[in-house]
Amino acid sequence: MWLKITILLLLAALAVSLFSGLFFLMKDTDNSGRLVNALSVRIVLTVLVVILIAYGFWSGQLGWNTPWLHG
């Protein structure tokens, strides 16, 4: 259960990082580098989410719950 909660928290952090990057893109007039930092954080969070999902499938904590696969 902790894995699913961690993945959801990371996805929420991804959304926050995405919108902060959009904000910095629209409102930053000087070259402060905040947009690059927001995009870097988003890339790191995406890699962490992919690693956690792969670990979840590998360990058996995540699985496919679709009825057509279990027919």
Side-chain angles (χ1 to χ4, degrees), residues 45-68:
L45 290 174
T46 303
V47 169
L48 286 175
V49 167
V50 168
I51 289 172
L52 282 178
I53 290 173
Y55 171 75
F57 280 119
W58 177 77
S59 67
Q61 294 181 18
L62 298 177
W64 302 103
N65 293 326
T66 55
W68 55 84

Side-chain angles (χ1 to χ4, degrees), residues 30-42:
D30 56 346
N31 293 329
S32 64
R34 293 191 299 179
L35 176 63
V36 174
N37 288 339
L39 294 177
S40 300
V41 167
R42 200 170 87 214

Side-chain angles (χ1 to χ4, degrees), residues 2-18 41-54:
W2 66 270
L3 184 66
K4 292 178 184 179
I5 293 171
T6 306
I7 290 172
L8 285 176
L9 288 175
L10 285 174
L11 288 174
L14 270 167
V16 169
S17 177
L18 177 69
V41 167
R42 200 170 87 214
I43 290 171
V44 169
L45 290 174
T46 303
V47 169
L48 286 175
V49 167
V50 168
I51 289 172
L52 282 178
I53 290 173

